[in-house]
Amino acid sequence: MADGGEMDEEAMMRAFFPTSFGKAPSRPSAASHSSTLRKPQNPSSSPSTSAIEEDDSVLVGPPLPPKDSARSQEDEEESGMIGPPRPPAQLPTVHEEAEDEDGDMVGPPRPPPPKEGEEDEDDDDDDDEEDDDDDDDMEDDGEDFGRIPLSNEIVLRGHTKVVSALAVDPTGSRVLSGSYDYTVRMYDFQGMNSKLQSFRQLEPCEGHQVRSLSWSPTSDRFLCVTGSAQAKIYDRDGLSLGEFVKGDMYIRDLKNTKGHISGLTAGEWNPKSKETILTSSEDGSLRLWDVSDFSGQKQVIKPKLKRPMRIPVTSCAWDHEGKRIVAGVGDGSIQLWTIKTGWGSRPDIHVEKAHTEDITGVKISTDGQILLSRSMDSTLKIWDLRKMRTPLKVFEDLPNNYAETTASFSPDEQLVFTGTSVEKDGRNGGLLCFFDRRKLELVSRVGISPHYSVIRSLWHPRINQVFATVGDKKEGGTHILYDPSVSQRGALVCVGRAPRKKSVDDYEVQPLIHNPHALPLFRDQPSRKRQREKMMKDPLKSHKPEAPVNGPGFGGKIGTTKGSLLTQYLMKEGGLIKETWMDEDPREAILKYADAAKNDPKFIAPAYAQTQPETVFAESDSDGEEKK
């Protein structure tokens, strides 16, 4: 095995140094992986899935050494080696080695060993033919799903909504996950323990969802694309390096604007150039940016449309060499441009109505011949870039409810896989569906989550581990599938690392804080609602009038004692004060003073005695009517 060879090489190198130099690397034991074994799930009734479940239920950790080699067992017991078994003592031939390696190989094939002479070249050709025959036999036997690392699983949690963006650096040591909760979390396998906690959390743009993340080819920076019109660049540790400029939304021609004018939909770093970035937006354009200049873009690409209107570009991607750009447009078309001298917005390949709904993901194979397109019409289409009139194969019944769902290749590009969304009435949860690239048929369905949809998916070629992001409106996470016998580093490093125990030396005396909220500087500002409630209770600030006095009273004054004084209350109770105004007619009570006011005017009447005319009242006609 490769791991055993690495351990032997390290032991040989350490023999040249003193024993006190450095620390021997420790590998997690099989017991540490027992807690991460995948639980059996029944996503579908396909035979491939049941076969996987049987393998998971039997095999735990690396395979046991053969029973015939008793000597090798004794050597392993003496050395205490943990990990995959060493190869048998007998040396196989070159042809047998090639066959064994191809049978257990995961990822791209290794280069042939160096040989001398023309005869060796002929032998290489024969070996290649035998390898091809072995591959065909393996495909005929239907054992492709055995190459997928599925025995163990861990979940990176922390997001409160669906995880819509995922990026793993080329070395496989750091993972970035972006979510609809507006945050980006950074995970480091070398610094994590079994708690699987992120070491940094970012919020690139407040109130905007994270839609895409991409590492630079040198892994020293990464691109963050959110729902805003401006993409951001961060360094490896999560420190912001800059933000691209936003264009003028009042300019009609998009080629005359310095940047995007609407929300971004996708973005990707050029796989070969560390200074070039590609972004797509809802304003209907793609733009190439130079990382060294944030003030404007290098190139503006406008997709070909039937009518002059703004249709959003929903997805975009580079090819493996960074010389071609493919994009999915909102009208269902797929367009491809080749970067060359004097190239413009006119696409080299234009496929109209490739999908009936928005295209959520596009991917070009390493050899540049196959194109994958994932859409919200519940389909995955495989295209041959040499014949783009019709797709090679259309895989249907793959629900997709998220605009970031992608499709990817396996490291050897013999398998194609994508995630599915959870339907309201569906019984199956979020699945990862694997398809054979040559046979164009379903190979396996792997259940990831019974309740959450699978959005982003990735198979890292260096560490041989499968990543899948899931989530809904309340929770999100990143599932990592691996196999201790075939995977390297990555999740294997942090799973067997226990959290650090607290020591006596870690004790810290907590300082006493007296009256912490005495100064207004350190007081928490109350909410506006509480401020209003407090002001309403203050009669001076609220200008609240005095409340009326309730209850019976006396002499126009209301009170519980029926008077303002205690003597009035006592006199009334003793019968000295009689209340007659309750029984009198108010009109009669006023008119009884009319004669006195007429005969002896005192205040107002003398002033108008000489100038005031006599009052003339209308005489009643009742008598005349009676006479008639």
Side-chain angles (χ1 to χ4, degrees):
M1 292 292 180
D3 294 341
E6 292 180 0
M7 294 289 292
D8 295 340
E9 292 179 0
E10 293 178 357
M12 293 175 61
M13 290 297 298
R14 291 181 62 83
F16 294 96
F17 297 94
T19 55
S20 60
F21 181 80
K23 183 179 180 182
S26 61
R27 294 178 58 87
S29 61
S32 62
H33 297 295
S34 60
S35 60
T36 62
L37 289 174
R38 281 176 51 82
K39 297 180 181 180
Q41 299 180 8
N42 297 321
S44 64
S45 60
S46 60
S48 59
T49 307
S50 60
I52 295 173
E53 294 174 1
E54 293 177 0
D55 294 342
D56 292 343
S57 61
V58 176
L59 180 62
V60 178
L64 297 175
K67 297 181 180 180
D68 299 335
S69 58
R71 183 177 179 181
S72 60
Q73 288 183 357
E74 295 176 0
D75 295 340
E76 290 176 0
E77 291 177 357
E78 293 176 359
S79 59
M81 184 180 66
I82 299 174
R86 296 179 181 178
Q90 56 195 10
L91 298 176
T93 62
V94 177
H95 299 285
E96 293 176 354
E97 285 182 351
E99 292 177 0
D100 294 338
E101 289 179 358
D102 292 338
D104 297 334
M105 181 177 62
V106 176
R110 298 179 180 178
K115 298 179 181 179
E116 299 179 357
E118 297 180 354
E119 297 179 357
D120 294 338
E121 293 180 357
D122 297 336
D123 294 338
D124 291 343
D125 297 336
D126 297 336
D127 292 340
D128 294 338
E129 293 178 359
E130 292 180 0
D131 293 343
D132 295 338
D133 296 339
D134 293 338
D135 292 340
D136 296 337
D137 295 338
M138 183 174 60
E139 290 177 0
D140 295 337
D141 294 339
E143 297 179 356
D144 287 342
F145 61 85
R147 297 180 293 177
I148 307 173
L150 297 175
S151 63
N152 296 65
E153 177 184 17
I154 62 174
V155 183
L156 305 179
R157 306 183 187 276
H159 290 287
T160 57
K161 290 185 180 180
V162 61
V163 180
S164 56
L166 175 68
V168 185
D169 67 339
T171 60
S173 59
R174 287 204 172 174
V175 180
L176 303 175
S177 64
S179 172
Y180 279 6
D181 60 3
Y182 319 133
T183 62
V184 174
R185 287 184 176 268
M186 304 180 66
Y187 301 88
D188 187 14
F189 287 125
Q190 302 296 331
M192 278 196 305
N193 51 31
S194 57
K195 290 186 177 181
L196 306 177
Q197 295 178 349
S198 61
F199 72 92
R200 180 154 297 174
Q201 180 178 353
L202 310 173
E203 188 172 1
C205 190
E206 184 178 359
H208 291 279
Q209 301 171 350
V210 181
R211 296 185 175 177
S212 180
L213 295 168
S214 179
W215 282 99
S216 65
T218 55
S219 301
D220 59 341
R221 292 169 292 182
F222 67 88
L223 167 69
C224 180
V225 174
T226 62
S228 66
Q230 298 173 275
K232 288 188 176 182
I233 303 296
Y234 292 87
D235 67 354
R236 185 174 177 83
D237 295 327
L239 301 178
S240 179
L241 299 179
E243 182 180 32
F244 293 109
V245 68
K246 181 179 180 180
D248 189 352
M249 65 180 65
Y250 296 104
I251 297 179
R252 185 170 183 83
D253 190 358
L254 295 177
K255 288 190 175 182
N256 296 330
T257 60
K258 295 183 179 180
H260 290 291
I261 62 175
S262 298
L264 301 177
T265 56
E268 188 175 349
W269 210 298
N270 191 311
K272 298 298 182 180
S273 174
K274 63 179 182 179
E275 301 295 334
T276 306
I277 285 175
L278 171 68
T279 58
S280 62
S281 172
E282 296 174 354
D283 60 8
S285 67
L286 296 99
R287 297 175 191 262
L288 298 178
W289 304 83
D290 189 351
V291 180
S292 60
D293 184 15
F294 292 96
S295 60
Q297 72 274 345
K298 293 170 54 178
Q299 179 79 18
V300 181
I301 306 173
K302 296 174 64 176
K304 182 180 179 181
L305 303 174
K306 289 185 176 180
R307 298 178 181 179
M309 55 188 304
R310 291 182 180 178
I311 297 179
V313 181
T314 57
S315 59
C316 63
W318 293 93
D319 68 338
H320 183 68
E321 300 297 330
K323 296 181 179 180
R324 290 190 292 181
I325 298 172
V326 62
V329 189
D331 59 358
S333 64
I334 297 177
Q335 303 185 26
L336 186 141
W337 296 266
T338 302
I339 299 178
K340 53 189 176 182
T341 305
W343 71 288
S345 295
R346 186 177 182 84
D348 298 328
I349 297 177
H350 181 207
V351 182
E352 296 182 358
K353 299 180 180 179
H355 289 273
T356 58
E357 295 187 21
D358 290 346
I359 300 172
T360 60
V362 287
K363 184 72 174 179
I364 301 178
S365 61
T366 304
D367 55 11
Q369 297 181 0
I370 301 299
L371 171 66
L372 305 179
S373 63
R374 187 75 164 95
S375 174
M376 297 187 74
D377 58 4
S378 302
T379 62
L380 168 64
K381 294 187 179 182
I382 301 180
W383 306 80
D384 189 348
L385 290 175
R386 296 165 293 184
K387 300 177 182 178
M388 288 290 291
R389 293 185 179 180
T390 57
L392 295 177
K393 182 68 175 179
V394 179
F395 296 101
E396 299 178 347
D397 298 331
L398 301 174
N400 181 11
N401 300 329
Y402 292 91
E404 292 81 15
T405 305
T406 59
S408 303
F409 291 95
S410 61
D412 57 0
E413 296 197 349
Q414 299 302 316
L415 297 177
V416 176
F417 60 97
T418 184
T420 62
S421 300
V422 177
E423 294 181 314
K424 293 182 179 180
D425 301 332
R427 298 181 180 178
N428 297 332
L431 308 177
L432 264 183
C433 300
F434 292 84
F435 306 92
D436 193 307
R437 174 181 171 181
R438 296 182 181 179
K439 295 182 179 181
L440 300 177
E441 62 182 12
L442 178 65
V443 173
S444 174
R445 283 187 172 185
V446 180
I448 301 299
S449 176
H451 306 292
Y452 301 145
S453 302
V454 178
I455 297 92
R456 296 272 182 174
S457 54
L458 172 67
W459 191 337
H460 200 280
R462 189 162 183 176
I463 61 178
N464 192 26
Q465 297 174 18
V466 180
F467 296 78
T469 65
V470 300
D472 60 359
K473 295 181 180 180
K474 298 181 180 179
E475 187 180 0
T478 303
H479 291 244
I480 303 178
L481 309 180
Y482 70 97
D483 191 339
S485 60
V486 294
S487 300
Q488 299 177 2
R489 296 187 298 277
L492 298 173
V493 177
C494 58
V495 167
R497 185 180 298 159
R500 182 175 177 272
K501 296 181 179 180
K502 291 186 178 181
S503 175
V504 180
D505 300 333
D506 297 336
Y507 177 75
E508 295 181 1
V509 178
Q510 298 295 334
L512 298 177
I513 301 176
H514 300 281
N515 200 5
H517 301 290
L519 299 176
L521 178 63
F522 301 102
R523 292 178 184 173
D524 295 334
Q525 293 293 335
S527 61
R528 294 183 178 179
K529 183 178 179 181
R530 292 189 177 182
Q531 287 181 352
R532 288 195 300 267
E533 292 178 354
K534 189 175 181 180
M535 290 175 62
M536 291 297 294
K537 294 179 180 180
D538 190 352
L540 297 179
K541 292 183 178 181
S542 61
H543 303 285
K544 185 178 180 181
E546 294 184 1
V549 182
N550 299 324
F554 177 77
K557 294 184 179 181
I558 302 175
T560 55
T561 59
K562 299 181 183 180
S564 59
L565 300 175
L566 179 60
T567 53
Q568 294 181 357
Y569 174 74
L570 296 176
M571 291 173 66
K572 183 178 180 181
E573 292 296 329
L576 300 178
I577 299 178
K578 296 182 179 180
E579 292 185 354
T580 59
W581 60 273
M582 294 291 292
D583 302 331
E584 292 180 351
D585 185 10
R587 184 172 182 275
E588 294 180 356
I590 295 173
L591 291 178
K592 68 181 180 180
Y593 300 102
D595 296 337
K598 184 178 180 180
N599 298 329
D600 187 14
K602 293 181 179 180
F603 302 103
I604 300 175
Y608 299 96
Q610 297 179 359
T611 59
Q612 188 70 18
E614 295 182 0
T615 56
V616 178
F617 297 100
E619 296 181 356
S620 178
D621 297 337
S622 59
D623 297 339
E625 292 177 357
E626 291 178 357
K627 291 179 180 180
K628 293 180 180 179

